[in-house]
Amino acid sequence: MKIIDKKQLAPEIVRFIVEAPQIAKKAQPGHFIILRYKENGERIPLTIADYNREKGTITLVCQGIGKSTYEINRMEVGDSFLDLLGPLGKAYPIKKLGTVVCVAGGLGVAPLYPKAKALYEAGNRIISLIGAQRKELLIMTEEMAAISAEIHFSTDDGSFGHHGFITEPLRQVLAREKVDEVVAVGPVPMMASAVKVAREFNVPVVVSLNALMVDGTGMCGGCRVTVGGETKFCCVDGPTFDGAAVDFQELLMRQRYYQEQEKEAFHRCKLEEAGQE
Amino acid sequence: MRQQMPKQDPAVRRTNFDEVALGFTAEQALAEAKRCLNCKKPLCVQGCPVEIDIPQFITLLVAGKPDQALAKIKEKNSLPAICGRVCPQENQCEKQCVLGRKGEPVAIGALERYCADWGRANQAVEPSCEPECAVKGKVAVVGSGPAGLTAAADLALMGYRATLFESLHAPGGVLRYGIPEFRLPKAIVDYEVGNLKKLGVEIKTNVLVGKTITIEELFATGYEAVFIGTGAGLPYFLDIPGENLNGVYSANEFLTRVNLMKAYLFPEYDTPVRIGKRVAVVGAGNVAMDAARTALRLGAETVSIVYRRSRAEMPARREEIENAEEEGVVFRLLTNPVRLEGDERGNLTTMICQKMALGEPDASGRRRPVPIPGSEEELPVDTVIVAVGQGPNPILLQATTGLALNKRGYIEVDPETMMTSIPGVFAGGDIVTGAATVIAAMGAGKKAARAIDRYLAAKKEAGK
Ligand SMILES: Cc1cc2nc3c(=O)[nH]c(=O)nc-3n(C[C@H](O)[C@H](O)[C@H](O)COP(=O)(O)OP(=O)(O)OC[C@H]3O[C@@H](n4cnc5c(N)ncnc54)[C@H](O)[C@@H]3O)c2cc1C
Ligand SMILES: Cc1cc2nc3c(=O)[nH]c(=O)nc-3n(C[C@H](O)[C@H](O)[C@H](O)COP(=O)(O)OP(=O)(O)OC[C@H]3O[C@@H](n4cnc5c(N)ncnc54)[C@H](O)[C@@H]3O)c2cc1C
Ligand code: SF4
Ligand code: SF4
Ligand code: FES
């Protein structure tokens, strides 16, 4: 559980390489872990962004969006996470399909990467479409380029690549050629619109959902999502699902339930930090 | 007369998480112990799933030897501070007590608690064991609820090296994440887990067996037998429209946030829980009472129990129903939720309920509730906690090939040996029986430990 490498990929996005031999041995694309970084901390789910079975390490990429992730990103090489549980979730089945378009929004590249890499290694032709708010938030572009036959970028502010959302390049690719599957990972609105576009072209689309979680083992039901009209537990039935069947509206609403409390906690944590300096 | 255990005043206790029942004073314990007739054929013992020698321990208490009384209890029950608090005594030992026929039974549970608390306060010497003394073999215990804790303790006492594997970050199972602080202080769970460590039991948290490591791999790494005590932790929902609105919790999630993650201390602890002004808890078992009383303590203005049958059918312990009532929980009986509604932000606002009447008895022998047509009513709510039961968690069961399950999805075991369909793999507690009691899970852990000892001894004998 010791951090053996840390790299800042972008503002507030950090990549950690962590010693976790038991988890590394079992990790597969689609799996995630739950960690606690301190005694009174929350249980935080993070995707296993890569793993090295020989070295017994896993890679985590964490974006500081609230108190816990912000504090995690301040941990250093040599520090240890208090608890690390995994691998959790269902693995994403890797098949040879033909051409797969991998669409990532923002931090979504990190959870997408192990799937894309495995698809590539299984002989699929990968077209990668990566979007972010602005140029400096585009991450893991080299890793993605290395496995992609084609790679395109977009930024919301036009600072790099296509000016606008990543769904536009997706539409262009799907209009241009036959694609066997779309894999979309990112913020919920981005996944929802990628699904919409893929469905217009009748291409199967899988997504990776990040419902709020507590235990991650199917014990609390807090991570419920509606898929195909049925209630599923994101942590055990997912987090990968058939995008066409997901109720994104509900997911978005459920993710926001603790927004005010979280904001307050984050604010206090920043105040304390300011007070210490 | 049966002694009454002092309790915190309801008006005060509904605002704090401190223990409600305060325990007997020494005088009370002595007076109560003296009521016992020390029966030749003690019926009470038959009512105790682990057969504590009740008259003997009570006699030792009367003789002013609480240390020996505790040791007597510990011969059969490794977790007396816990059982003395949460056992449904009125249905078990105390139900059988002869004094109960004409008057009131001896307060056996309260006396057991008294001995255990005395031991903790006076730092009574707990059994301990050096790691080297564990030579008879290695056994893996999966799940650290009362079944797993007991199996591990008994195996250690018999000379095995027992390792507990727990998926959460803290051991205890329901004792840790389910039963609230005000009924079972977590310091007691910590103390009992500490005693287990003194026996040489190794505890590995953050290991989800079936995912992190499989049962096959446990055998491959040198464990000679495995005990599965993974409980019934999968929450059931009502399957009604609106159940995924914000503000609808399973009791498991609600209680886990509060107990395990200590959300009642937010923001000192990072995990939040949101409790509105008006809370409705669906169900009327112990879990529902715990959820309702927890909601009150978190500051809800009104908390109602919504239950489709009548008072007579409520499955919770009488004492807990009374406690809840004293604290101000409202009981809406013969009322069944049919739909939940929310606002445009997806936040819960209303529970639509239907009034029920009791019809003919059903398979469970209880009168079946039938809806009264046209009786729908609206209940304004901002939080709903669903406490209508739990099932078996499928993760380990699906990852283990060859493990036979019964129709309801629980593990099938030989009732004599507690062995599953896989040789060397044993199981007990809620994962075999479905949601039951702490003491029943402990009894199963005990029985399995003995069976594992016999099994491994026979195997060694055969291998010679
Ligand atoms: C299966 C899974 C895999 C994940 N993988 C990664 C990963 O690889 N890297 C990474 O950085 N994050 C990942 N996440 C998201 C991460 O767990 C959350 O960002 C984190 O829990 C937020 O905690 P916090 O206290 O820092 O922020 P909070 O203060 O809890 O949240 C800040 C704001 O973000 C929103 N939010 C909170 N949790 C989530 C969530 N789960 N998804 C979307 N929005 C949320 C809330 O609306 C809140 O207002 C994953 C989540 C899941 C369920
Ligand atoms: C809120 C609540 C209140 C209750 N009140 C009472 C009461 O007052 N009196 C009473 O007698 N009974 C009560 N009960 C019932 C009682 O707690 C249970 O019957 C008892 O805890 C069952 O014990 P167990 O050891 O079988 O399982 P559990 O206590 O459920 O423990 C199982 C453990 O296994 C772990 N686990 C599960 N799967 C895995 C895996 N794959 N790998 C590793 N670990 C795993 C779980 O995390 C858990 O810690 C209550 C239950 C609840 C939920
Ligand atoms: S363990 Fe439970 S049933 Fe047995 S004597 Fe104690 S309170 Fe009674
Ligand atoms: S049955 Fe009652 S009176 Fe008799 S020994 Fe047991 S507790 Fe005492
Ligand atoms: S996080 Fe608790 S069931 Fe999924």
Side-chain angles (χ1 to χ4, degrees), chain B residues 47-50 52 54 77 83-84 87 89 92-93 108-109 112 439:
Chain B
C48 171
V50 295
I52 292 178
I54 295 166
N77 180 347
C83 293
C87 250
Q89 294 111 10
Q92 300 181 330
C93 51
I108 302 168
E112 182 178 353
I439 192 69

Side-chain angles (χ1 to χ4, degrees), chain A residues 213-216 218-221 223 233 235:
Chain A
M213 293 185 178
V214 184
D215 59 302
M219 187 267 273
C220 76
C223 62
F233 287 5
C235 67

Side-chain angles (χ1 to χ4, degrees), chain B residues 86-88 142-148 165-168 172-175 177-180 183 207-210 229-233 252 255 286-287 290 317 390 393 395-396 428-431 435-439 441:
Chain B
V86 305
C87 250
V142 184
S144 64
F165 294 92
E166 167 59 48
S167 58
L168 291 172
V174 170
L175 308 175
Y177 75 74
I179 304 180
R183 231 162 36 85
V207 179
L208 180 61
V209 177
T230 51
N252 268 9
L255 292 170
N286 285 322
V287 183
D290 282 347
R317 289 184 63 188
Q390 293 109 255
N393 186 311
I395 291 180
L396 176 62
D430 282 4
I431 190 61
T437 61
V438 171
I439 192 69

Side-chain angles (χ1 to χ4, degrees), chain B residues 273-292:
Chain B
V273 66
R274 261 177 75 171
I275 193 83
K277 290 197 171 70
R278 290 176 300 265
V279 179
V281 178
V282 184
N286 285 322
V287 183
M289 297 306 143
D290 282 347

Side-chain angles (χ1 to χ4, degrees), chain A residues 50-90:
Chain A
D50 207 351
Y51 44 85
N52 186 319
R53 297 200 212 282
E54 288 74 46
K55 292 191 180 139
T57 61
I58 58 170
T59 303
L60 304 173
V61 178
C62 180
Q63 179 168 35
I65 59 161
K67 181 182 179 199
S68 303
T69 46
Y70 179 84
E71 289 189 357
I72 288 168
N73 281 355
R74 275 151 192 75
M75 294 187 66
E76 296 299 338
V77 172
D79 292 347
S80 282
F81 294 120
L82 187 61
D83 301 294
L84 194 58
L85 168 71
L88 302 173
K90 279 213 166 79

